[in-house]
Amino acid sequence: MLGLMMNTPLLISSIAEHGAQFHGGREIVSVTADNPLHRYTYRECVGRAKQLANALNGMGAKKGDRIATLAWNDYRHLEAYYGISGAGYVCHTINPRLFPEQLVFIINHAEDRWIFTDVMFVPLLEAIADMIPNVEGFVVMTDNAHMPETTLNNTVCYEELIAKESLDYTWPELDERTASALCYTSGTTGDPKGVLYDHRSTVLHAMAEIAPDTMSLSSYDSVLPVVPLFHVNAWGVPYSAFMAGAKLVLPGPKMGDGETLCNLLDSEDVTLALGVPTVWLALLQYTESAGKRLDKLQRTIVGGAAVPRSMIEAFRDKHGVEVRQAWGMTETSPLGVANSPKAGLPEMTPDEQLDLASKAGRGVYGCELRIVDGEGNELPWDGEAYGPLQVRGLWICSDYYKLAGAGGAHTDDGWFDTGDVATIDPEGYMAITDRTKDVIKSGGEWISSIELENTIMGHPAVAEAAVIGVAHPKWTERPLLIVIKAEGQDVSGDELLAWYEGKVAKWWIPTDVEFVTELPHTATGKIKKIELRKQFADYQLTG
Ligand code: ADP
C-alpha cells in the first residue's frame, strides 16, 4: 500500500521560488570585474534568472541541452545556475584554470551549445575557438560598456540579452531525476570525467547541508563561499543559502586574496565561510602580518584536502572561530562527512578537541560509508584499521557522463570507490590517511603522507609542506618532506625532522627534507602531488 502524501518533485526552481518568496529582501553581495561591490536581493536575482530562462528559450535551447559557464563567483553566474537548471537545461560549469586541451576535451565531450563567460576568459576561448566548432555562440557576462573586442563568433552581451526579456516565467514541472548540472573531475589521471547532478540529488544535498551538525545555516547567517561556482557547485552553497535565507557574499575573482577576504568577512558581517585549506592559509597569513582579528566570523567549513591541526588551532585560539572539517568530492556533490562534536562524547581537553577536529568528520544522513580491505571485505570501525573508502547514497554519482559503466569506480554491489584510504572510529568519525595514489609504501607498510604533512605544519617555521614517496633500494619508497619556510624564519632539515620525534612512529619520519619557494597547486588549490613526484623522480635520498 502506498502512502497518501503528495509526490511533489524536488526541483531547483523550488529553491529559487522559496528564496524569493520568504527571503526576497535578503542581500547578495558580489565582487565582480566590472563593479567592485555589486549588491541586490534574492528577489532581483530570481527575476533575472527568469529573464535568462526566457532568453534561452528564445535562443532555441532544448530541454537537456548543455549550457556552459566559464566564470568566477558572482551574481550573474548565480543567475545562470538558477536560470539554466531551473528551465530544464544542464548547467555545465567549466574550470577556467584547466589546460587548454582539457577545456577543449570537456566542451566537446559535453557537447555544449552555448558558453556563458566572464570577460577575462574571452582570450582563453579565442585561443581554442577553432577546436570547439560545435559551440553555437558565447554570452559575455557583462554590460554593454564593458563588452570586449573579440574574434569569437556569435557573441552576445549578457545584460543586453536579458534586458529585453519578461520577468514572467513559469518554471517547468520537470521529473526530479532530470539532469541539472555537469562538473568534470580534474582528470589528474586520464581524461576528465563528467559528474551529472540531478534536481533531486541537489535539493536533498542542500537540505542535508543546512542541518545544525553540518553547516548549521540559517537566515541569521551571512555566508561566503570561497569555493568556486565552477567546482562542485561551490559545495552546494548557492542552493543551501537560498533554502535557509542566508545572506550570500560572492568574492568574484578575488578568491585567494587574503586582504580582500578579510575585508569582506568584516564589512559583510560574514558568520560562515567555506574553502580549501590553502585559501585559509592565505587569510591567516594576512591577518597575522596585518595584525587583524576575525571578530565577526563564527565558523568555517574547510575541506577538499586535509586540514592541518595548526590551522584549526589558529582559528580557534587567535580568532575564536570554529573550524568544521568536511570531506567530499565532485562525485559526492560534495558532502560526504562533516565534523562537529556530537552529544555523548566524553569531556575533552582543548588538545583532545583538536584531535577530533583534525578528522574528516562523521557521517551525514544520506551518505553511507564503509572501508574495505584488498579483497573487498569490510574493515572494523576501530579508528586503526585503514583501507579504501567507499560511499553510497542520495547524492553520490551512479556513473560518469557518457562512460556507461567504464569509469571503473563503482563496485558490483553498488558502492562508489572514492580513491581515498581512511579509518573510521567507533563513534563514526572518519579520517583520511591518504589518496590511494599518494600512499607511501615503505617496507611493505603504508605511511600516511597526510599525517606527516599535518604534523610538520604545526612547526612555526613552516608555511606549507608536502610529503611524497621517493624510490628507495631497500624500502621500496621512503618519505621526502618538501617545505616552504614561513616568511622571515630559518630552520634546518634536521630541526624539522626532530619535530616529528614522539609525534609519529619512528620509521615514518621522512628520510630527507628539501626546501622550495613554491609548491604546485591544482586548479582547486590542492597541492599537485603528481607534479611533485615527477619533479623529484630522480631524487637521491641520503638515508
Ligand atoms: P579533484 O581534487 O580531483 O579535483 P575533488 O575536488 O573532487 O577532486 O577532490 C576530492 C578529494 O579531495 C577527495 O577524494 C580527497 O582525497 C580530498 N579531500 C577532500 N576533503 C578532504 C579532507 N577533509 N581530508 C583529506 N582529503 C580530503
Side-chain angles (χ1 to χ4, degrees):
M1 184 164 68
L2 293 178
L4 288 171
M5 305 309 282
M6 291 183 188
N7 190 12
T8 313
L10 302 174
L11 297 177
I12 287 172
S13 55
S14 71
I15 304 179
E17 284 304 312
H18 172 84
Q21 280 170 355
F22 293 98
H23 306 282
R26 208 64 173 113
E27 236 184 345
I28 299 168
V29 182
S30 315
V31 176
T32 70
D34 59 35
N35 187 334
L37 218 48
H38 173 274
R39 288 173 193 279
Y40 73 167
T41 62
Y42 275 23
R43 195 177 297 112
E44 289 168 278
C45 172
V46 174
R48 283 165 55 94
K50 288 181 171 179
Q51 288 179 296
L52 173 59
N54 278 323
L56 287 166
N57 194 20
M59 285 152 74
K62 305 254 176 329
K63 297 273 180 287
D65 278 351
R66 272 75 61 210
I67 313 285
T69 61
L70 193 63
W72 290 114
N73 289 15
D74 70 25
Y75 67 104
R76 293 187 182 111
H77 200 177
L78 184 68
E79 291 161 11
Y81 258 54
Y82 281 113
I84 295 171
S85 303
Y89 316 115
V90 178
C91 182
H92 172 203
T93 51
I94 303 178
N95 182 342
R97 296 175 185 145
L98 294 176
F99 293 123
E101 55 272 29
Q102 289 177 317
L103 289 175
V104 169
F105 174 85
I106 66 172
I107 291 168
N108 288 333
H109 189 265
E111 299 171 74
D112 293 326
R113 278 190 70 184
W114 286 80
I115 298 179
F116 283 62
T117 179
D118 273 352
V119 173
M120 69 176 74
F121 301 127
V122 167
L124 204 64
L125 288 168
E126 286 173 340
I128 59 168
D130 288 348
M131 288 166 278
I132 49 169
N134 297 327
V135 175
E136 286 167 37
F138 302 87
V139 179
V140 185
M141 294 208 271
T142 190
D143 54 21
N144 229 341
H146 296 86
M147 271 302 275
E149 287 278 320
T150 175
T151 55
L152 289 174
N153 284 331
N154 200 9
T155 310
V156 181
C157 167
Y158 180 87
E159 291 298 337
E160 279 216 338
L161 176 74
I162 66 167
K164 53 183 190 297
E165 299 293 340
S166 163
L167 284 156
D168 281 333
Y169 178 81
T170 307
W171 301 109
E173 273 254 341
L174 306 164
D175 180 323
E176 65 181 14
R177 298 297 308 274
T178 302
S180 58
L182 178 62
C183 180
Y184 281 75
T185 62
S186 54
T188 40
T189 47
D191 285 330
K193 298 191 201 76
V195 177
L196 190 61
Y197 307 102
D198 62 35
H199 286 257
R200 176 187 148 85
S201 68
T202 306
V203 173
L204 290 171
H205 180 268
M207 290 176 90
E209 220 170 47
I210 64 178
D213 282 359
T214 310
M215 289 191 347
S216 187
L217 196 62
S218 82
S219 63
Y220 289 92
D221 280 306
S222 167
V223 57
L224 172 74
V226 196
V227 192
L229 284 163
F230 57 73
H231 191 59
V232 211
N233 303 320
W235 295 358
V237 174
Y239 310 115
S240 47
F242 263 62
M243 214 177 245
K247 174 175 170 178
L248 198 47
V249 185
L250 301 170
K254 299 285 190 175
M255 290 274 185
D257 177 0
E259 184 173 0
T260 307
L261 292 181
C262 189
N263 291 340
L264 274 179
L265 290 171
D266 196 48
S267 62
E268 302 306 327
D269 299 320
V270 173
T271 53
L272 170 67
L274 303 93
V276 295
T278 33
V279 161
W280 302 132
L281 270 182
L283 176 73
L284 289 173
Q285 273 161 13
Y286 172 75
T287 54
E288 195 69 32
S289 63
K292 296 210 167 153
R293 192 174 185 276
L294 303 169
D295 285 325
K296 295 177 178 160
L297 189 65
Q298 294 168 3
R299 57 199 187 285
T300 57
I301 305 282
V302 193
V307 185
R309 197 177 194 274
S310 52
M311 179 181 289
I312 305 173
E313 196 174 12
F315 267 119
R316 184 186 72 180
D317 297 348
K318 293 191 177 153
H319 302 280
V321 173
E322 179 194 359
V323 170
R324 288 190 177 181
Q325 186 162 173
W327 166 91
M329 47 199 310
T330 309
E331 290 89 336
T332 68
S333 295
L335 179 62
V337 305
N339 195 337
S340 56
K342 68 174 179 180
L345 292 176
E347 190 97 348
M348 285 181 278
T349 63
D351 234 32
E352 288 166 339
Q353 288 167 2
L354 283 179
D355 289 341
L356 182 73
S358 300
K359 298 192 171 198
R362 64 188 152 91
V364 170
Y365 174 77
C367 176
E368 294 172 76
L369 310 175
R370 72 180 186 191
I371 43 175
V372 296
D373 65 14
E375 278 81 54
N377 303 308
E378 267 199 62
L379 290 169
W381 291 20
D382 58 9
E384 300 286 332
Y386 55 85
L389 172 71
Q390 301 181 343
V391 296
R392 170 171 89 168
L394 304 178
W395 46 82
I396 312 299
C397 80
S398 62
D399 202 352
Y400 291 104
Y401 183 51
K402 296 208 290 202
L403 278 191
H410 290 85
T411 66
D412 291 342
D413 61 345
W415 289 68
F416 171 70
D417 202 331
T418 62
D420 285 329
V421 178
T423 60
I424 306 177
D425 73 16
E427 295 290 349
Y429 285 83
M430 185 269 279
I432 300 285
T433 61
D434 249 316
R435 276 196 150 183
T436 321
K437 50 184 184 291
D438 294 336
V439 157
I440 301 166
K441 295 164 209 95
S442 178
E445 301 270 359
W446 284 0
I447 295 177
S448 162
S449 65
I450 290 186
E451 195 164 332
L452 292 175
E453 288 158 6
N454 282 352
T455 305
I456 209 64
M457 286 298 290
H459 193 291
V462 174
E464 209 177 353
V467 175
I468 55 166
V470 172
H472 188 279
K474 180 167 174 202
W475 302 110
T476 317
E477 277 183 340
R478 286 296 302 157
L480 169 68
L481 169 64
I482 306 164
V483 166
I484 302 180
K485 285 184 204 167
E487 225 176 281
Q489 297 271 357
D490 203 17
V491 70
S492 71
D494 285 343
E495 283 171 280
L496 289 182
L497 295 181
W499 180 260
Y500 282 112
E501 274 163 36
K503 298 190 177 80
V504 300
K506 235 182 160 46
W507 63 276
W508 277 35
I509 298 180
T511 301
D512 275 328
V513 185
E514 274 294 305
F515 292 100
V516 293
T517 49
E518 235 182 322
L519 282 168
H521 287 100
T522 67
T524 46
K526 306 180 197 190
I527 294 175
K528 237 191 217 163
K529 295 261 181 100
I530 202 161
E531 199 156 309
L532 278 179
R533 276 195 293 267
K534 270 190 216 149
Q535 211 174 313
F536 289 92
D538 301 322
Y539 190 81
Q540 294 300 317
L541 291 163
T542 55

